[in-house]
Every structure is written in C-alpha cells, then in structure tokens.
Amino acid sequence: MPKIKTKRAAAKRFKLTGTGKLKRNKAYKSHILTKKTAKRKRNLRKAAMTDATNTPNMKKILPYL
C-alpha cells in the first residue's frame, strides 16, 4: 500500500489532544469585529473540540496525526 498524503490545510487547523480528540479554533474572529461584543470575541478565542460526527472523516484526512 502506498503512503497516504495528509491534507495540509487540515493539518494546520487541527491538533490532537492527549485523549485522542481533535481540537480546533473557532470561526468568525477575523474581521467585522466592531459589531461583536467583547464577551463574544473573548469566547471565540477559546479552542473547541471537533464534533464526534466529523471525527471519522477528519481521521481519514489526517492519517498520521
């Protein structure tokens, strides 16, 4: 079997936690920030876990993570 290529765009956006879950950054924090409240922007800074329904597909995209 040949080696599987990692999707580099996904590799830059996801990290694996110690328990094997995928950690991601939240969206909507790049522009048009003036109308968003400070609380909302503060919560967007925190990392989130990838949903369990997406994890099998993500493992295919990132085979060596």
Side-chain angles (χ1 to χ4, degrees):
M1 285 294 292
K3 290 190 273 187
I4 305 166
K5 281 193 176 181
T6 298
K7 298 284 184 261
R8 298 308 298 162
K12 292 168 189 172
R13 287 168 173 82
F14 295 93
K15 296 276 179 277
L16 201 65
T17 62
T19 55
K21 294 179 182 175
L22 285 169
K23 190 168 75 169
R24 64 174 177 84
N25 287 323
K26 291 183 181 173
Y28 309 111
K29 184 68 171 69
S30 57
H31 61 97
I32 317 175
L33 297 173
T34 51
K35 64 172 82 168
K36 293 170 188 154
T37 63
K39 180 183 176 181
R40 185 171 162 196
K41 288 186 278 191
R42 190 167 55 246
N43 285 327
L44 286 171
R45 278 198 298 252
K46 298 173 186 171
M49 294 299 146
T50 305
D51 194 68
T53 56
N54 294 325
T55 304
N57 286 332
M58 297 309 298
K59 300 270 183 176
K60 281 183 199 168
I61 290 171
L62 303 162
Y64 305 107
L65 194 64

